[in-house]
Amino acid sequence: MRPERDIVDRIRRSLRARLAEAQRRRDTASAYMRERYHSLRAAGICVRCKQRDALPGMTLCMDCRLWNNQRRSGASTAPRSPYRDGRRKQ
């Protein structure tokens, strides 16, 4: 086997290993988020802000639902975020 071919094979193996690790991390993260969503939903907590009780039979609280409806409708009065600092309500 030529030395150049050996180097190429090692690079390919390394790349495959990195891609497999990245895929494993994505799968782990998505499984965690899926489980968290279902546990919040079962507990009756808003799945968006994770702080207030969700409306009966729904997954969002009133504030998050209003914000989502305004965002989806394209209303010019829709706030950029339901939180004061852009991320979380204080």
Side-chain angles (χ1 to χ4, degrees), residues 54-80:
L55 295 172
M58 301 193 181
T59 59
L60 298 177
C61 64
M62 182 59 81
D63 291 342
C64 292
R65 187 168 169 78
L66 176 64
W67 180 82
N68 192 46
N69 287 344
Q70 288 178 334
R71 181 189 59 80
R72 289 181 66 211
S73 72
S76 60
T77 59
R80 290 189 180 270

Side-chain angles (χ1 to χ4, degrees), residues 10-49:
R10 281 192 289 163
I11 291 171
R12 284 183 181 159
R13 279 194 303 271
S14 174
L15 182 58
R16 278 191 213 114
R18 273 195 254 156
L19 291 174
E21 177 64 19
Q23 183 63 42
R24 187 192 64 76
R25 286 182 184 167
R26 277 193 299 273
D27 292 343
T28 301
S30 65
Y32 169 77
M33 294 305 291
R34 187 171 35 255
E35 180 64 31
R36 180 168 170 121
Y37 170 84
H38 288 296
S39 64
L40 288 170
R41 185 176 174 192
I45 299 173
C46 176
V47 297
R48 187 167 189 282
C49 68

